[in-house]
Amino acid sequence: YKTKTLEPFGLYKRLTGKKTVPFGSIAKENQTLTGKLSTWIRANLFVPDARTLWKHYAVKKGRELITKYNIQCIITTSPPNSAHQIGLRLKKECNIPWIADLRDPWTNNKISSFLPRTKIIKRIDKSIENDVFNTADKILVVSDGMADEYNKYKDKLHVLTNGFDTDDFAESTRVVP
């Protein structure tokens, strides 16, 4: 299902004149005044991430779908971390189990280290992360290292690694060049 969103990247493109938006190391790639200002705005006004303006539309659609299909469990996956804010709201409003699946660390990730976030914004982001982790019924992470990082939540934490089991493909005769 698709929803509307408010998209800050369109404004970024108009301000900078660039046709594409740099991802990942956005702060390193924007050394012009406009680029630095855009990066500061992205880092401090869009918390936890630049997709956060989608959550209001997604929560509304989520409520509709939960009611229409009698959904019994919510699963959110990130990035973007704002997806977990959607799960958080739906969990609180609909009182059904919720699994938060993290493909990458949240506040302690490489991209965040490049963003010029203020101390208060870092605290707000960490508070959102804690609220999500405290409220989710289960938390999935992709590695033992992430599990160690989130050890505080070990009673609800599960590791589900990326990859595949070669035994699932043992009888396959297809050869890939």
Side-chain angles (χ1 to χ4, degrees):
Y1 293 88
K2 292 184 178 184
T3 68
K4 293 179 182 178
T5 186
L6 297 174
E7 188 55 73
F9 290 128
L11 179 60
Y12 172 85
K13 289 177 189 179
R14 281 187 297 237
L15 284 174
T16 63
K18 294 184 178 187
K19 293 183 180 186
T20 60
V21 177
F23 292 96
S25 59
I26 189 168
K28 281 185 163 183
E29 295 178 18
N30 288 298
Q31 297 304 318
T32 66
L33 181 58
T34 304
K36 287 178 183 179
L37 178 60
S38 298
T39 300
W40 190 92
I41 290 170
R42 181 245 189 254
N44 293 285
L45 299 184
F46 299 101
V47 180
D49 53 62
R51 302 289 186 213
T52 193
L53 299 176
W54 167 56
K55 68 185 172 207
H56 304 290
Y57 298 101
V59 167
K60 181 180 177 187
K61 178 57 80 174
R63 262 191 248 113
E64 291 172 16
L65 295 172
I66 288 167
T67 300
K68 181 177 180 178
Y69 294 109
N70 193 29
I71 292 171
Q72 299 298 305
C73 182
I74 303 161
I75 301 173
T76 55
T77 191
S78 64
N81 294 320
S82 53
H84 297 309
Q85 289 181 293
I86 296 162
L88 177 66
R89 284 246 334 256
L90 290 171
K91 163 72 177 174
K92 288 179 178 181
E93 290 180 17
C94 302
N95 197 29
I96 58 176
W98 169 39
I99 300 168
D101 172 44
L102 281 83
R103 305 284 85 202
D104 293 316
W106 186 322
T107 56
N108 186 25
N109 69 42
K110 189 165 180 91
I111 292 171
S112 288
S113 69
F114 291 117
L115 295 174
R117 286 196 153 167
T118 64
K119 287 181 182 181
I120 192 163
I121 294 302
K122 287 179 184 179
R123 284 194 303 269
I124 289 169
D125 198 20
K126 186 66 175 173
S127 175
I128 296 168
E129 179 187 55
N130 288 336
D131 198 15
V132 163
F133 285 17
N134 285 322
T135 307
D137 295 284
K138 300 290 180 190
I139 303 164
L140 297 179
V141 295
V142 297
S143 69
D144 291 329
M146 280 181 69
D148 290 343
E149 181 176 337
Y150 297 117
N151 188 40
K152 174 180 175 181
Y153 306 98
K154 64 183 173 188
D155 293 342
K156 57 172 83 177
L157 195 66
H158 302 274
V159 176
L160 181 61
T161 58
N162 291 327
F164 67 97
D165 185 341
T166 54
D167 292 341
D168 290 342
F169 300 94
E171 296 181 27
S172 176
T173 59
R174 183 173 176 213
V175 177
V176 179

